[in-house]
Amino acid sequence: MQGTAYTYDPETRAGSVLLDDGTPLPFDAAAFDAGGLRMLRPGQRVRIEVAGEGEDRRVVLVTLQTF
């Protein structure tokens, strides 16, 4: 799944992405760390993996989108 980095706090390593349909989806430090990233800027295109459904849906991995 792809989206766009929307927010990112370098102190907590948490933030949110906007899915292509405009839905915001938060991620925590564990999801950020799983992708091996060091920094993320709002507006960057990202690839995410999610787990769960509905209210339990959560981001488990955030990486940069490469072409």
Side-chain angles (χ1 to χ4, degrees):
M1 181 178 289
Q2 298 178 22
T4 303
Y6 185 53
T7 63
Y8 174 70
D9 181 344
E11 290 184 24
T12 64
R13 297 183 325 281
S16 63
V17 298
L18 286 179
L19 302 180
D20 290 341
D21 67 1
T23 303
L25 195 58
F27 63 86
D28 60 14
F32 181 80
D33 293 344
L37 298 175
R38 293 171 49 179
M39 185 64 177
L40 188 62
R41 289 186 295 279
Q44 283 182 300
R45 194 73 176 154
V46 294
R47 185 178 66 84
I48 60 171
E49 291 182 15
V50 297
E53 304 245 347
E55 293 293 318
D56 293 327
R57 186 165 73 161
R58 62 188 175 88
V59 175
V60 295
L61 176 73
V62 179
T63 61
L64 290 181
Q65 177 65 37
T66 57
F67 298 96

